[in-house]
Amino acid sequence: MFRVDAGSGVPIYRQLVEQVRRDLMLGRLQPGAQLPSVQEVVDSLAVNPNTVVKAFAELEHQGLVVRRQGVGTFVAPSPPLTSMSASPRLLGSLARWTDRARQEGLTEEQIRMLLEVVLDGSTGTDDARRTAGGVA
Amino acid sequence: MRAALRCRDLAHRYGRDVWGLRDCDLDVPAGRVVALVGPNGSGKTTLMNMAAGLLPATTGSIEVVGDTPQARLDRIGFVAQDAPLWPRMRVGDVLEIGRCMNPRFDAQMASDRIERLGIRPRSRIDALSGGERAQVALTLVLAKKPELFLLDEPMANLDPLARREFLGSMFEACSGTGATVLYSSHAVAELERACDYLIVLRGGHVRLVGDIDDLRMQHRVIRGPVGWLDRGGWDVVSEQTMAGQTTALVRRDDTLTLGPGLQDASPTFDELVIGYLVDGGTARPQEVFA
């Protein structure tokens, strides 16, 4: 379930924490689900066990997982995160929009840039539209 | 916090005026996987050899797991560069010598590991490939069950799969027993996964030491039009100017504000290491104790 992008600006333990958060928000991980053991993560990623322990400790600190001594690490019964699983319509329209963008010849990188431009342009969409026109 | 390795004002002088290592102050906490990084001739091997009890301190002191290296030889697992082993001996005999000379030697584990790696106990050391020889040396050290592993470029001769396998064994040794690993390497890209503690040496001096995540938190990479560095009072580690843009690794200082047109990011592991390896300023005392 984990991937590591060594060489990115994000420390590896942070990457692991973010991946669990994302899977929780997307509903891929449900309350009560068991996470892999430290040893399993170490074996599959060839990362240092201290890094994995640190990631799990951070997840526990955030209240997202609970550790049961000798049993394993589990997703907390009610993790303090807003799940996104309740918005299939939103996902669907984003998927349709992405398809259209691809049909218009935008690369994945350009699509990401557009999304960032729209997210950053909190003052209004005019800026976003202008920039978007430039990118396209 | 128990220190696996502690150096105080440690130095070693080779010739009349040739210092392998100077003013070295280090505390490596137990249980860490430590990357020892530096250009050739920066003092990595000197430090390793002193920690292994093979080189005397010219001045200062060095402690391994709470005592002098000489008093702790049974707790140290050292593999020198190129994994030197007696070339005309057979693999099985090398392991047997390891068993006879080390009271805690796990002979079963050693022969199992050799078998798993497909190395024949009857093979002579000089008939092995560089990678196989490295594996035999590492097996000896793993079976000794040390508290401090000292590995001088242990993976230089290993192919990518063998490197992974080796790291796995190393991690297993650490998480099982709380052992500390100090290992030197030039393969900076590989170290981020493998290590959680960093020592950067340059010109015989310790330039940076600490927990890798902490060190990344304590630095920023800032980029902007040439000249921005002259304003603002940043504590610069190193800088580089290209195409009218100056990029600098600086020590983080939240009291300073970024001017307009400056981009600010957290350093990648490479940026942090390279920033301290390049010739970009003189070592200051606070770096040594950072």
Side-chain angles (χ1 to χ4, degrees):
Chain A
M1 68 179 285
F2 292 115
R3 289 182 64 203
V4 163
D5 180 10
S8 84
V10 185
I12 290 173
Y13 89 93
R14 275 257 137 239
Q15 294 183 31
L16 302 181
V17 168
E18 290 307 320
Q19 284 166 30
V20 171
R21 287 184 67 92
R22 195 194 54 204
D23 283 357
L24 280 169
M25 286 168 83
L26 292 172
R28 290 178 192 159
L29 267 178
Q30 294 292 334
Q34 183 167 13
L35 265 61
S37 70
V38 170
Q39 194 55 50
E40 285 167 334
V41 181
V42 168
D43 288 345
S44 71
L45 298 178
V47 297
N48 172 332
N50 293 340
T51 303
V52 182
V53 168
K54 187 169 178 179
F56 279 23
E58 175 64 23
L59 287 166
E60 194 178 23
H61 177 73
Q62 293 184 8
L64 301 176
V65 304
V66 286
R67 275 193 274 191
R68 298 202 204 119
Q69 201 63 46
V71 187
T73 305
F74 299 84
V75 177
S78 50
L81 269 183
T82 323
S83 168
M84 298 202 331
S85 53
S87 47
R89 274 183 57 200
L90 200 59
L91 260 177
S93 66
L94 182 61
R96 281 193 298 281
W97 179 85
T98 315
D99 284 344
R100 269 214 315 279
R102 284 213 180 87
Q103 280 162 21
E104 288 186 21
L106 294 191
T107 64
E108 203 167 299
E109 187 190 7
Q110 288 169 329
I111 292 173
R112 276 182 218 280
M113 276 166 67
L114 280 184
L115 205 59
E116 272 169 34
V117 166
V118 175
L119 284 174
D120 291 347
S122 52
T123 47
T125 46
D126 280 359
D127 259 0
R129 282 204 198 99
R130 262 204 307 280
T131 321
V135 174
Chain B
M1 181 196 75
R2 205 167 56 101
L5 177 68
R6 167 173 295 174
C7 307
R8 286 288 173 273
D9 197 26
L10 183 68
H12 181 81
R13 192 176 55 202
Y14 284 105
R16 225 165 72 95
D17 203 23
V18 184
W19 293 86
L21 198 68
R22 276 189 107 156
D23 309 323
C24 175
D25 282 280
L26 281 178
D27 282 287
V28 176
R32 309 303 290 257
V33 183
V34 186
L36 182 59
V37 185
N40 294 322
S42 58
K44 299 192 297 291
T45 299
T46 303
L47 179 59
M48 288 268 183
N49 285 333
M50 288 171 92
L54 294 172
L55 267 184
T58 305
T59 64
S61 66
I62 181 164
E63 271 184 17
V64 174
V65 206
D67 208 335
T68 61
Q70 286 79 10
R72 281 279 181 251
L73 288 181
D74 61 332
R75 304 287 147 143
I76 299 172
F78 176 53
V79 178
Q81 250 173 55
D82 303 322
L85 292 171
W86 195 253
R88 312 198 52 163
M89 239 171 219
R90 296 184 196 283
V91 172
D93 297 336
V94 170
L95 298 185
E96 180 59 16
I97 291 175
R99 188 184 68 78
C100 294
M101 295 180 70
N102 296 282
R104 299 194 299 167
F105 199 79
D106 189 341
Q108 188 62 48
M109 180 271 221
S111 56
D112 287 352
R113 189 165 191 273
I114 290 296
E115 191 188 331
R116 202 174 66 238
L117 293 165
I119 299 172
R120 296 199 351 256
R122 290 194 51 77
S123 299
R124 269 179 27 173
I125 296 296
D126 57 7
L128 300 178
S129 71
E132 287 170 330
R133 205 174 64 228
Q135 290 285 20
V136 173
L138 293 168
T139 304
L140 268 180
V141 162
L142 285 168
K144 181 176 175 176
K145 304 214 170 300
E147 288 182 50
L148 176 64
F149 289 87
L150 299 168
L151 308 172
D152 203 351
E153 300 201 37
M155 306 207 290
N157 282 316
L158 302 185
D159 63 56
L161 261 182
R163 294 165 100 93
R164 212 182 147 105
E165 193 275 344
F166 161 66
L167 281 178
S169 310
M170 208 78 276
F171 295 155
E172 209 180 306
C174 292
S175 50
T177 64
T180 310
V181 180
L182 178 63
Y183 93 87
S184 73
S185 174
H186 287 301
V188 173
E190 230 167 43
L191 295 175
E192 184 179 2
R193 273 169 183 266
C195 303
D196 53 274
Y197 208 84
L198 176 67
I199 300 172
V200 179
L201 293 178
R202 198 172 160 274
H205 289 269
V206 176
R207 292 223 59 207
L208 185 69
V209 51
D211 176 271
I212 290 174
D213 293 330
D214 290 349
L215 292 173
R216 285 173 75 165
M217 285 269 290
Q218 291 157 6
H219 293 81
R220 303 296 292 176
V221 171
I222 303 178
R223 195 160 79 102
V226 170
W228 70 264
L229 259 185
D230 306 334
R231 305 179 291 274
W234 293 99
D235 193 354
V236 179
V237 176
S238 59
E239 57 177 293
Q240 187 185 32
T241 296
M242 217 190 281
Q245 296 273 317
T246 297
T247 307
L249 178 69
V250 301
R251 264 168 285 269
R252 179 168 163 180
D253 184 344
D254 292 336
T255 64
L256 296 175
T257 44
L258 281 178
L262 292 184
Q263 288 169 289
D264 164 51
S266 161
T268 64
F269 180 73
D270 290 22
E271 285 171 330
L272 183 68
V273 172
I274 303 296
Y276 275 90
L277 285 182
V278 295
D279 191 358
T282 50
R284 288 166 243 192
Q286 65 263 37
E287 288 167 9
V288 176
F289 299 112

